[in-house]
Amino acid sequence: MTVLPTAGATGAVAWLDALRRRCGSDVHAFVTERVREHFTGHALDTPAPAALAEFVTGGKFLRPMFAYTGWRCGGPESAAALKAAASLELLHCFALAQDDVMDGSARRRGRPSMHVRFARWHEEQGLSGSAARFGESAAVLMGDLFLVWSEQLLSESGLGADALARGRGVYDVLRSELAVGQLGDLVNDARTLPSWAEVLDVIRRKSGNYTVRRPLEFGAALAGCAPDVVTALGAYGGLLGEAFQFRDDLLGVFGDPAVTGKPAGDDLRERKASSVVVLARDLADDHQRAGFAELLAAAEVDDGAVDRWRALITATGARDQLEKFIDDRVRRALEAIDQVSLPRQAASVLTVLANRCTERVR
Amino acid sequence: MTVLPTAGATGAVAWLDALRRRCGSDVHAFVTERVREHFTGHALDTPAPAALAEFVTGGKFLRPMFAYTGWRCGGPESAAALKAAASLELLHCFALAQDDVMDGSARRRGRPSMHVRFARWHEEQGLSGSAARFGESAAVLMGDLFLVWSEQLLSESGLGADALARGRGVYDVLRSELAVGQLGDLVNDARTLPSWAEVLDVIRRKSGNYTVRRPLEFGAALAGCAPDVVTALGAYGGLLGEAFQFRDDLLGVFGDPAVTGKPAGDDLRERKASSVVVLARDLADDHQRAGFAELLAAAEVDDGAVDRWRALITATGARDQLEKFIDDRVRRALEAIDQVSLPRQAASVLTVLANRCTERVR
């Protein structure tokens, strides 16, 4: 079955672009169908149908890309496997909708976040009670729907019962790790700066595993890849996942709003205990440490404070150090997959993805 | 396989008691195993492990009871089917943990609710930021874990792929309806009293379907029951589900805190647009209507206001009317299952359950 162009003909980048488009249309079609099923003929007129359908568009589809590439390390091109991989995008939508509530993030992908959208509707309708609270509750529920629908898309992907049974273990671990990791994030953010070890622990459990390693392992498990391939993909995924999160954390502090779709210095404004801040604290000299204490004690993080935080972090050397950590992990990730024999297409796609998910502009 | 005592030997009530104990131990064992898997060796020390394990105890296990009884309309006693039925209790835990956040309910089953428990821990640890907000976020995440684990318990129940494939359609509809129904609840609560039709719509979509009809249909689908049996169970479930919710709404206004485990008049304090309040509004005469307007406009619902609300609702005749609605629906539900041939045990259990889930003290 011809599902996507072969990498040999058009290169790994074109293959990934086609993969992303196909995942996007699969996910959008599935959500549209679920919305029709559950919101048609309803006495309630809410923004839910449009909000759900729009929320699944515009993503980078990194997790489906890793999952489908994992599948291609042992399986043929397959429309069913592609749907199973795409199910991870719905899992990601679940995480984004609920994380934005917990973090109080007003924007997502350059648009109002889910809870803000529902809060505005509450205001427009002149409903009683707190609009903010209504928005948050509704966004949690939209997240719940995405979580349910992710698993439903996987089950209905068209993959056989044997393949699904092979993949389910990783899929379930991934889902639980995501929630446990988010709890870790909350606890770290509530501490007056956690240790570097604590930050790394959460990165490994949540972002790293969730974005790269588990999706790859999931796809490889669905395809029934050999144990040595799964091990190599796991090593690649663990290292690259950390690098991905380091980049994400750098963008959260230094990123361009036009590119990230979020306010400048967003992680600082939300007082996230990210790897950038914790590493800077560890590297700071006495003078810089005093500056840290002052910024941490400030009641609010305004534009001026963002600028001072950025200068201070850069001065400690934390920014350069994290760039080195990223380069080092990407290099070792690529070495890990060099240890096993992979289909040529999958190997070149993994190389492209290693760069794509750690590049400075994304 | 002897899983439970037969109804012939010990009666439907003893059978249900044994079923409840067995579901309780299955769910507790499964959650304990998941907690060990995901929280052992963690850098984080949070109340999550104990909170998760305790939250699944003390429930009535109504939904697993209906599901397993649905199974017994076409299948033999089966430890695997019992685990599949028990998975609905974890789905219920998901709903309770998150609903309590959205409703601001401080207590659940006579204990502090999930978000209150985490908020207290945040305070005890002297963490930074809002303890209430931390508690709410953590409770949403614990709910997410229950949602994931429900589906995992179903998948790992030991039922064959064919049975699971038959049950999955209803299971997925049930999960989505639950979230969509909760959104409907939120919208209705935010309106200055919705119409009776809007209240019934939400009751049918959420509580009624979710508690009785879908669990029964789910069990029957897993067992591969004949279409006429599924239809009769659906009719019974739809009617009984409404009756169940009417009883729940009456208890939310008139219930004894010692029995409900919640404060007296809890639904009034939370300004829930429940069937009791909306029916009373519809039945009220001009004088009573003025009293309604006054109570609705009050900033806070204190003990005195609860007493006045109760007297007003009783005076409109809404309480008696709902009792009649309940009796009527229970009678018609039992007539519906009389139309088909069911195993004797299943039929007597359905009769007991019809009374149990609508009785005045529960």
Side-chain angles (χ1 to χ4, degrees), chain B residues 304-349:
Chain B
V306 165
D307 289 343
R308 286 197 300 282
W309 268 112
R310 284 173 163 176
L312 182 59
I313 289 166
T314 305
T316 65
R319 190 174 182 180
D320 290 343
Q321 184 65 61
L322 275 177
E323 291 290 353
K324 283 198 193 103
F325 283 173
I326 292 171
D327 291 346
D328 168 68
R329 278 158 178 78
V330 169
R331 180 182 53 73
R332 284 159 58 206
L334 294 175
E335 283 169 9
I337 53 169
D338 269 349
Q339 307 302 311
V340 289
S341 168
L342 294 179
R344 183 180 303 182
Q345 185 190 44
S348 52
V349 168

Coordinates of all heavy atoms in Angstrom, one line a residue, chain B residues 304-349:
Chain B
G304 N -29.8 29.1 57.3 CA -31.2 29.6 57.3 C -31.8 29.5 55.9 O -32.9 29.2 55.7
A305 N -30.9 29.9 54.9 CA -31.4 29.9 53.5 C -31.7 28.4 53.1 O -32.7 28.2 52.4 CB -30.4 30.5 52.6
V306 N -30.9 27.5 53.5 CA -31.2 26.1 53.2 C -32.6 25.7 53.7 O -33.4 25.1 53.0 CB -30.1 25.1 53.8 CG1 -30.6 23.7 53.7 CG2 -28.8 25.3 53.0
D307 N -32.9 26.0 55.0 CA -34.2 25.7 55.5 C -35.3 26.4 54.7 O -36.3 25.8 54.5 CB -34.2 26.2 57.0 CG -33.4 25.3 57.9 OD1 -33.0 24.2 57.5 OD2 -33.0 25.7 59.0
R308 N -35.1 27.6 54.4 CA -36.2 28.3 53.6 C -36.4 27.7 52.2 O -37.5 27.5 51.8 CB -35.8 29.8 53.5 CG -36.0 30.6 54.8 CD -36.1 32.1 54.6 NE -34.9 32.6 54.0 CZ -33.7 32.9 54.6 NH1 -33.6 32.6 55.9 NH2 -32.7 33.4 54.0
W309 N -35.2 27.4 51.6 CA -35.3 26.7 50.3 C -36.1 25.4 50.4 O -37.0 25.1 49.6 CB -33.9 26.3 49.8 CG -33.2 27.3 48.9 CD1 -32.1 28.1 49.2 CD2 -33.6 27.7 47.5 NE1 -31.8 28.9 48.1 CE2 -32.6 28.6 47.1 CE3 -34.6 27.3 46.6 CZ2 -32.7 29.2 45.8 CZ3 -34.6 27.8 45.4 CH2 -33.7 28.8 45.0
R310 N -35.8 24.6 51.4 CA -36.4 23.3 51.6 C -37.9 23.5 51.8 O -38.7 22.7 51.2 CB -35.8 22.6 52.8 CG -34.5 22.0 52.5 CD -33.9 21.5 53.8 NE -32.8 20.5 53.6 CZ -32.1 20.0 54.6 NH1 -32.4 20.3 55.9 NH2 -31.1 19.2 54.3
A311 N -38.3 24.4 52.6 CA -39.7 24.6 52.9 C -40.4 25.1 51.6 O -41.6 24.6 51.3 CB -39.9 25.7 54.0
L312 N -39.8 26.0 50.9 CA -40.4 26.5 49.7 C -40.6 25.4 48.6 O -41.7 25.2 48.0 CB -39.5 27.6 49.1 CG -40.0 28.3 47.9 CD1 -41.3 29.0 48.1 CD2 -39.0 29.4 47.5
I313 N -39.5 24.5 48.5 CA -39.6 23.5 47.5 C -40.7 22.5 47.8 O -41.5 22.0 47.0 CB -38.2 22.7 47.4 CG1 -37.2 23.7 46.7 CG2 -38.4 21.4 46.6 CD1 -35.8 23.2 46.8
T314 N -40.8 22.1 49.1 CA -41.8 21.2 49.6 C -43.2 21.8 49.3 O -44.1 21.1 48.9 CB -41.6 20.9 51.1 OG1 -40.3 20.4 51.3 CG2 -42.6 19.8 51.5
A315 N -43.3 23.1 49.6 CA -44.6 23.8 49.5 C -45.1 23.8 48.0 O -46.3 23.7 47.7 CB -44.6 25.2 50.0
T316 N -44.2 23.8 47.1 CA -44.6 23.8 45.7 C -45.2 22.5 45.2 O -45.8 22.4 44.1 CB -43.5 24.2 44.7 OG1 -42.5 23.1 44.8 CG2 -42.8 25.5 45.0
G317 N -44.9 21.5 46.0 CA -45.3 20.1 45.6 C -44.2 19.4 44.7 O -44.4 18.3 44.3
A318 N -43.1 20.0 44.5 CA -42.1 19.4 43.7 C -41.5 18.1 44.3 O -41.2 17.2 43.6 CB -40.9 20.4 43.4
R319 N -41.4 18.1 45.6 CA -40.8 17.0 46.3 C -41.7 15.7 46.0 O -41.3 14.7 45.6 CB -40.7 17.3 47.8 CG -39.9 16.2 48.5 CD -39.7 16.6 49.9 NE -38.9 15.6 50.6 CZ -38.5 15.7 51.9 NH1 -38.9 16.8 52.6 NH2 -37.8 14.8 52.5
D320 N -43.1 15.9 46.3 CA -44.0 14.8 46.0 C -44.0 14.4 44.6 O -44.1 13.2 44.3 CB -45.4 15.3 46.5 CG -45.5 15.4 48.0 OD1 -44.7 14.9 48.7 OD2 -46.5 16.1 48.4
Q321 N -44.0 15.4 43.7 CA -44.0 15.1 42.3 C -42.8 14.3 41.9 O -43.0 13.3 41.1 CB -44.0 16.4 41.5 CG -44.1 16.3 40.0 CD -45.5 15.7 39.6 OE1 -46.5 16.3 39.9 NE2 -45.5 14.5 39.0
L322 N -41.6 14.6 42.4 CA -40.5 13.8 42.0 C -40.5 12.4 42.6 O -40.1 11.4 41.9 CB -39.2 14.5 42.5 CG -38.6 15.6 41.6 CD1 -37.4 16.2 42.2 CD2 -38.2 15.0 40.2
E323 N -41.1 12.3 43.8 CA -41.3 10.9 44.3 C -42.2 10.1 43.4 O -42.0 8.9 43.1 CB -41.9 11.0 45.7 CG -41.0 11.5 46.8 CD -39.9 10.6 47.2 OE1 -39.8 9.5 46.7 OE2 -39.0 11.1 48.0
K324 N -43.2 10.7 42.9 CA -44.1 10.0 41.9 C -43.4 9.7 40.6 O -43.6 8.6 40.1 CB -45.4 10.9 41.6 CG -46.4 11.0 42.7 CD -47.7 11.5 42.2 CE -48.7 11.8 43.3 NZ -48.8 13.3 43.6
F325 N -42.6 10.6 40.1 CA -41.8 10.4 38.9 C -40.9 9.1 39.2 O -40.7 8.3 38.3 CB -40.9 11.6 38.6 CG -41.6 12.7 37.9 CD1 -40.9 13.9 37.7 CD2 -42.9 12.6 37.5 CE1 -41.5 15.0 37.1 CE2 -43.6 13.7 36.9 CZ -42.9 14.9 36.7
I326 N -40.3 9.1 40.4 CA -39.4 8.0 40.7 C -40.2 6.6 40.7 O -39.8 5.7 40.0 CB -38.7 8.2 42.0 CG1 -37.7 9.3 42.0 CG2 -38.0 6.9 42.5 CD1 -37.1 9.8 43.3
D327 N -41.3 6.6 41.4 CA -42.1 5.4 41.4 C -42.5 4.9 40.0 O -42.5 3.8 39.7 CB -43.3 5.6 42.3 CG -43.0 5.8 43.8 OD1 -41.8 5.4 44.1 OD2 -43.8 6.2 44.6
D328 N -43.0 5.9 39.3 CA -43.4 5.6 37.9 C -42.3 5.0 37.0 O -42.5 4.0 36.3 CB -43.9 7.0 37.3 CG -44.2 6.8 35.8 OD1 -45.1 6.1 35.4 OD2 -43.4 7.4 35.0
R329 N -41.2 5.6 37.1 CA -40.1 5.1 36.3 C -39.6 3.8 36.7 O -39.2 2.9 35.9 CB -38.9 6.2 36.3 CG -39.2 7.3 35.2 CD -38.4 8.5 35.5 NE -38.7 9.6 34.5 CZ -39.8 10.4 34.5 NH1 -40.7 10.2 35.4 NH2 -39.9 11.3 33.6
V330 N -39.5 3.5 38.0 CA -39.1 2.2 38.5 C -40.1 1.1 38.0 O -39.7 0.1 37.6 CB -39.0 2.2 40.1 CG1 -38.8 0.8 40.6 CG2 -37.8 3.1 40.5
R331 N -41.3 1.5 38.1 CA -42.4 0.5 37.7 C -42.2 0.2 36.2 O -42.2 -1.0 35.8 CB -43.8 1.1 38.0 CG -44.9 0.2 37.6 CD -46.3 0.8 37.8 NE -46.4 2.2 37.2 CZ -46.5 2.4 35.9 NH1 -46.6 1.4 35.1 NH2 -46.6 3.7 35.5
R332 N -42.1 1.2 35.4 CA -41.9 1.0 33.9 C -40.6 0.3 33.6 O -40.5 -0.5 32.6 CB -42.0 2.3 33.2 CG -43.5 2.8 33.1 CD -43.6 4.3 32.9 NE -42.9 4.8 31.7 CZ -42.4 6.0 31.4 NH1 -42.5 6.9 32.4 NH2 -41.8 6.3 30.3
A333 N -39.6 0.6 34.4 CA -38.3 -0.1 34.1 C -38.4 -1.6 34.3 O -38.0 -2.4 33.5 CB -37.2 0.5 35.1
L334 N -39.1 -2.0 35.4 CA -39.3 -3.4 35.7 C -40.2 -4.0 34.6 O -40.0 -5.2 34.3 CB -39.9 -3.6 37.1 CG -38.9 -3.1 38.2 CD1 -39.5 -3.2 39.6 CD2 -37.6 -4.0 38.2
E335 N -41.2 -3.3 34.2 CA -42.0 -3.8 33.1 C -41.2 -4.1 31.8 O -41.5 -5.0 31.1 CB -43.2 -2.8 32.7 CG -44.3 -2.8 33.7 CD -45.3 -1.6 33.5 OE1 -45.2 -0.9 32.5 OE2 -46.1 -1.4 34.4
A336 N -40.2 -3.2 31.6 CA -39.4 -3.3 30.3 C -38.7 -4.7 30.3 O -38.6 -5.4 29.3 CB -38.5 -2.2 30.2
I337 N -38.1 -5.0 31.5 CA -37.4 -6.3 31.5 C -38.3 -7.5 31.6 O -37.9 -8.6 31.3 CB -36.3 -6.4 32.6 CG1 -36.9 -6.1 34.0 CG2 -35.1 -5.4 32.3 CD1 -35.9 -6.4 35.1
D338 N -39.5 -7.3 31.9 CA -40.5 -8.4 31.9 C -40.8 -8.8 30.5 O -41.4 -9.9 30.3 CB -41.8 -8.0 32.6 CG -41.7 -8.4 34.1 OD1 -40.8 -9.1 34.5 OD2 -42.6 -7.9 34.9
Q339 N -40.5 -8.0 29.5 CA -40.9 -8.3 28.1 C -40.0 -9.3 27.5 O -40.3 -9.8 26.4 CB -40.8 -7.0 27.3 CG -41.6 -5.8 27.8 CD -43.1 -6.2 28.0 OE1 -43.7 -6.7 27.1 NE2 -43.7 -5.9 29.2
V340 N -38.8 -9.6 28.1 CA -37.9 -10.5 27.5 C -37.6 -11.6 28.5 O -37.8 -11.5 29.7 CB -36.6 -9.8 27.1 CG1 -36.8 -9.0 25.9 CG2 -35.9 -9.1 28.2
S341 N -37.0 -12.7 28.0 CA -36.6 -13.8 28.8 C -35.2 -13.6 29.3 O -34.3 -13.6 28.5 CB -36.7 -15.1 28.0 OG -36.1 -16.2 28.6
L342 N -35.0 -13.5 30.6 CA -33.7 -13.3 31.2 C -33.4 -14.5 32.1 O -34.3 -15.1 32.6 CB -33.6 -12.0 32.0 CG -33.8 -10.7 31.2 CD1 -33.7 -9.5 32.2 CD2 -32.7 -10.5 30.2
P343 N -32.1 -14.8 32.3 CA -31.8 -15.8 33.3 C -32.4 -15.3 34.7 O -32.4 -14.1 35.0 CB -30.3 -15.7 33.4 CG -29.9 -15.1 32.1 CD -30.9 -14.2 31.6
R344 N -32.9 -16.3 35.4 CA -33.7 -15.9 36.6 C -32.9 -15.1 37.6 O -33.3 -14.1 38.2 CB -34.1 -17.2 37.3 CG -35.0 -16.9 38.6 CD -35.4 -18.2 39.3 NE -36.1 -19.1 38.4 CZ -36.6 -20.2 38.8 NH1 -36.5 -20.7 40.0 NH2 -37.3 -21.0 37.9
Q345 N -31.6 -15.5 37.7 CA -30.7 -14.7 38.7 C -30.6 -13.2 38.2 O -30.8 -12.3 39.1 CB -29.3 -15.3 38.7 CG -28.4 -14.6 39.7 CD -27.0 -15.1 39.5 OE1 -26.5 -15.2 38.4 NE2 -26.3 -15.4 40.7
A346 N -30.4 -13.0 36.9 CA -30.2 -11.6 36.4 C -31.5 -10.8 36.7 O -31.4 -9.7 37.1 CB -29.8 -11.6 35.0
A347 N -32.6 -11.4 36.4 CA -33.9 -10.7 36.6 C -34.1 -10.3 38.1 O -34.5 -9.2 38.3 CB -35.0 -11.6 36.1
S348 N -33.8 -11.3 39.0 CA -34.0 -10.9 40.4 C -33.0 -9.8 40.8 O -33.4 -8.9 41.6 CB -34.0 -12.1 41.3 OG -32.9 -12.9 41.1
V349 N -31.8 -9.9 40.3 CA -30.8 -8.9 40.7 C -31.2 -7.5 40.2 O -31.1 -6.5 40.9 CB -29.4 -9.3 40.2 CG1 -28.5 -8.1 40.2 CG2 -28.9 -10.4 40.9

